[in-house]
């Protein structure tokens, strides 16, 4: 057994709690240290610098292998050290009094009732207490007493926190909650007592799975199957599942089915099986009114999270505002002069698209790659650059880079244009009171725009401006919830300009993209478009790894899935990652090295990264990774690493908005049910020069034939009917 003071965390596995760390060991141990530090390794809780720690284990090869850890207690020395950690202003006499009062067991004492008064009495003289009771105490006596009370309160708060954290870590790690989530709970001041009071509604909003909440409730409470807290927990979990699959709402009857399916699958067996009725679901939704409500629209009962409902309503109201404030913009657009400027000739569809510039409001320009969207945009810019302010933006950093290069004007991400600063629902920056200073705002790759960001964008568009939304309606839906582009196109209240004529037919890749989109399985193969056929996923993966070994430059491997057992991106990244350089940091089961390719998997506007951003690790200092994205360097702290993964292979969804010279696409038979025409079309159109498809059991033709994309459930179609009479367009 070794005791000492905790010094520093080196690496922590957020899933297992396995930690490498340094301590400053006490004297008297026959061990070697480096600069007074002992390197240790094992499962520990949340420990901070200078906290006393006691370890049990074995010393091997200049390293202490920990089998168990605890906060030292049950001795006068350990009590003194804890008091030093809590407040170094506590005098030796006070420490002695406290140690005697608690029988040398500070943490044990802290579980007893009336502990505050006992300590206050122990540290105060009888005369002080008597004078205070009689009201005869001097100002000096009162000040001294208040100082004692402050010390006692600090001891109570700190020790309770230590006890709670130790037990919280122990319990939640048993149920599979990663240490990163536990640290987040602790930082929010959430202790085990609060969690046990209602594990469902404390844990679920933090992204902790329902299975963990079930186990906490099952083992720490006398909660029965029909406890309202449990029933509400599964309703919240089910609506969150709906949101994560991309829907903004759920029809009441469908939600009832989902709730019953999820409680049957994830619920811990107790006394009897719970089956939700309509009345029970209504009761739970009423109990959860802080989070969700039912909105009846055109006789359809739709269940929404309150935040998502506000976003939909806000978006519709701002569409109404922007569209009803229409005004003439371009009196006479000389398309001929623009053609002469760029040395091009617009076709009739492109010329028609210039009508979008006749007046302000929201407009949509859609078409496949090669249909001339960029040429039209350059024409719009040519006019506005001379007369009015304009802004160019895209939904991802890579898409913004592509837009900048194509249009010869600087483009930025939507979140940067909006100056979004805060993570989550609360957003500041550009808004109704501080709109974007531009008469023309062009946003590219709008198929990737989710409801939350689109709602924020609309708030920032000033009345009288043109908002031109550009995208390919045949690409995949956004990663975030909502179906913005599709809903807007089908609303009937937005001007839509379609470019269907392909102007650049000089490549097999582009031609095959057209054929795929048209449902034609007769694809052209040549040196730029190669299809390899295999009988099993394993054979295809083996060939893929062989073909891509040592290939450098702008190339990417795309898979429909990330699931490890299905040879998805998780597996591919493990085997593709170069192993030559030193490990900078480990997070979970992933080791990150210098020059590793990474992709961000969530939005964090405060930290200046968004879902889908691709980058390269260029450095590591003081526990912080430096990642180079296309036009920025971002510091990735440990708490951000849960939003990051390797990107030697990425999912097709994550590739949206990006372009690569070469694209290697694996179509696994094990996930053939999720292969659709839209998915294949999106993957093929990511390549500039070369596509290689690894086709298992004719998955390529299965994908082309599968048009069963599950279009997302949103309330827009019906909500817009409420406002339709107010649109005069």
């Amino acid at each position: 057994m070794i005791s000492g003071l905790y010094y520093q965390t080196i690496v922590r596995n957020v899933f297992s709690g396995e930690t490498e760390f340094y301590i400053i060991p006490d004297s008297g141990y026959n061990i070697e240290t480096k600069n007074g530090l002992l390197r240790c390794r094992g499962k520990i809780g949340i420990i901070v610098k200078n906290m006393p720690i006691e370890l049990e284990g074995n010393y091997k090869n200049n390293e202490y292998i920990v089998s168990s850890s605890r906060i030292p207690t049950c001795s006068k020395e350990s009590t003194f050290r804890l008091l030093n950690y809590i407040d170094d202003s506590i005098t030796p006499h006070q420490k002695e009094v406290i140690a005697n009062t608690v029988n040398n067991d500070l943490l044990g004492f802290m579980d007893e009732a009336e502990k505050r008064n006992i300590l206050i009495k122990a540290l105060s003289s009888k005369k002080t207490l008597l004078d205070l009771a009689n009201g005869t105490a001097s100002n000096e006596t009162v000040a001294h007493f208040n100082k004692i009370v402050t010390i006692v309160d600090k001891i109570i708060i700190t020790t309770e926190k230590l006890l709670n954290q130790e037990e919280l870590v122990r319990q939640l790690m048993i149920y599979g909650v990663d240490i990163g989530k536990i640290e987040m709970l602790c930082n929010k001041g959430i202790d085990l007592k609060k969690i046990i009071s209602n594990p469902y509604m404390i844990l679920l909003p933090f992204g902790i799975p329902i299975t963990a909440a079930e186990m906490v409730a099952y083992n720490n409470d006398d909660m029965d199957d029909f406890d309202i807290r449990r029933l509400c927990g599964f309703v919240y979990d089910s609506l969150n599942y709906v949101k994560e699959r991309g829907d903004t709402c759920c029809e009441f009857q469908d939600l009832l089915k989902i709730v019953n399916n999820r409680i049957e699958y994830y619920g811990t067996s107790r006394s009897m099986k719970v089956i939700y009725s309509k009345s029970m679901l209504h009761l739970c939704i009423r109990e959860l009114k802080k989070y969700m409500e039912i909105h009846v629209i055109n006789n359809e009962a739709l269940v929404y999270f309150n935040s998502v409902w506000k976003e939909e309503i806000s978006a519709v109201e701002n569409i109404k505002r922007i569209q009803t404030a229409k005004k003439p913009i371009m009196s006479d657009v000389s398309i001929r002069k623009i053609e002469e400027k760029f040395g091009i000739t617009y076709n009739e569809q492109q010329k028609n698209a210039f009508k979008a510039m006749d007046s302000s409001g929201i407009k949509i320009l859609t078409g496949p790659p090669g249909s001339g969207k960029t040429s039209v945009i350059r024409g719009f810019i040519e006019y506005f650059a001379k007369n009015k302010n304009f802004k160019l933006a895209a939904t991802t950093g890579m898409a913004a880079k592509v837009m900048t290069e194509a249009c010869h004007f600087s483009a930025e991400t939507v979140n940067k244009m909006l100056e979004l600063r805060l993570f989550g629902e609360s957003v500041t920056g550009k808004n109704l009171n501080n709109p974007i200073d531009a008469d023309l705002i062009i946003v590219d790759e709008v198929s990737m725009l989710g409801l939350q960001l689109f709602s924020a964008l609309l708030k920032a568009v000033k009345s009288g401006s043109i908002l031109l939304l550009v995208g390919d309606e045949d690409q995949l839906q956004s990663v975030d919830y909502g179906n913005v582009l599709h809903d807007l196109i089908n609303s009937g209240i937005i001007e839509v300009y379609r470019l269907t004529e392909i102007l650049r037919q000089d490549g097999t890749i582009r031609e095959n993209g057209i054929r795929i989109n048209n449902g034609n399985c007769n694809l052209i193969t040549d040196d730029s478009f190669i299809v390899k056929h295999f009988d099993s996923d394993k054979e295809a993966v083996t060939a893929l790894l062989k073909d891509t070994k040592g290939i450098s430059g702008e190339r990417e491997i795309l898979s429909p899935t990330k699931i490890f057992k299905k040879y998805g991106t998780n597996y591919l990244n493990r085997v593709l990652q170069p192993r030559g350089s030193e490990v900078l940091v480990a997070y979970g089961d992933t080791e990150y090295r210098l020059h590793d390719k990474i992709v961000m998997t969530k939005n964090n506007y405060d930290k200046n990264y968004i879902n889908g951003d691709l980058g390269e690790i260029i450095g590591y200092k003081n526990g912080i990774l430096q990642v180079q994205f296309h036009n920025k360097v971002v510091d990735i702290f440990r708490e951000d690493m849960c939003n990051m993964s390797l990107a030697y292979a990425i999912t097709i969804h994550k590739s949206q908005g990006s372009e690569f010279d070469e694209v290697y696409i694996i179509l696994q038979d094990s996930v053939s049910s999720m292969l659709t025409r839209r998915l294949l079309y999106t993957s093929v159109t990511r390549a500039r020069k070369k596509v290689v498809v690894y086709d298992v059991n004719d998955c390529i033709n299965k994908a082309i034939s599968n048009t069963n994309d599950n279009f997302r459930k949103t309330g827009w179609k019906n909500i817009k009917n409420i406002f339709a009479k107010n649109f005069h367009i």
Side-chain angles (χ1 to χ4, degrees), residues 374-405:
T374 301
S375 296
V376 173
I377 291 170
R378 289 185 69 190
F380 294 166
I381 293 171
E382 171 64 17
Y383 177 84
F384 268 80
K386 295 178 181 178
N387 299 279
K388 299 179 183 291
N389 296 329
F390 69 93
K391 287 275 188 180
L392 304 182
T395 46
T396 69
M398 183 60 72
K401 179 185 177 184
V402 172
M403 192 179 190
T404 298
E405 293 171 349

Side-chain angles (χ1 to χ4, degrees), residues 189-217:
I190 296 172
D191 58 28
L192 192 61
K193 207 177 285 183
K194 286 183 182 177
I195 291 173
I196 291 173
S197 69
N198 190 344
Y200 300 95
M201 298 318 300
I202 296 294
L203 297 178
L204 295 180
F206 284 94
I208 293 170
I210 188 73
T211 49
E214 269 284 271
M215 292 303 298
V216 172

Side-chain angles (χ1 to χ4, degrees), residues 231-246:
L231 298 176
C232 287
F234 273 95
V235 173
Y236 182 97
D237 167 73
S238 298
L239 189 58
N240 195 57
Y241 162 76
V242 168
K243 179 183 171 185
E244 287 181 346
R245 74 184 185 186

Side-chain angles (χ1 to χ4, degrees), residues 268-303:
T268 302
S269 179
R270 301 181 186 198
S271 58
M272 60 186 294
K273 185 178 178 181
V274 175
I275 300 176
Y276 283 74
S277 62
K278 289 183 180 180
S279 58
M280 188 187 294
L281 181 55
H282 271 292
L283 174 64
C284 290
I285 293 172
R286 283 199 299 271
E287 287 289 321
L288 291 166
K289 62 183 179 181
K290 176 182 174 183
Y291 300 98
M292 64 181 68
E293 284 186 17
I294 299 173
H295 297 275
V296 180
I297 306 168
N298 287 6
N299 297 319
E300 189 176 26
L302 301 175
V303 187

Side-chain angles (χ1 to χ4, degrees), residues 139-151:
N139 291 337
E140 291 79 8
T141 300
V142 173
H144 179 69
F145 179 78
N146 289 337
K147 188 176 180 181
I148 288 172
V149 172
T150 301
I151 290 172

Side-chain angles (χ1 to χ4, degrees), residues 75-76 79-80 83 94-105:
S75 72
K76 182 173 288 189
T79 296
F80 276 31
L83 290 170
Q94 288 172 326
K95 291 175 189 174
E96 188 76 29
V97 173
I98 293 170
N100 292 333
T101 304
V102 303
N103 295 318
N104 300 325
D105 187 2

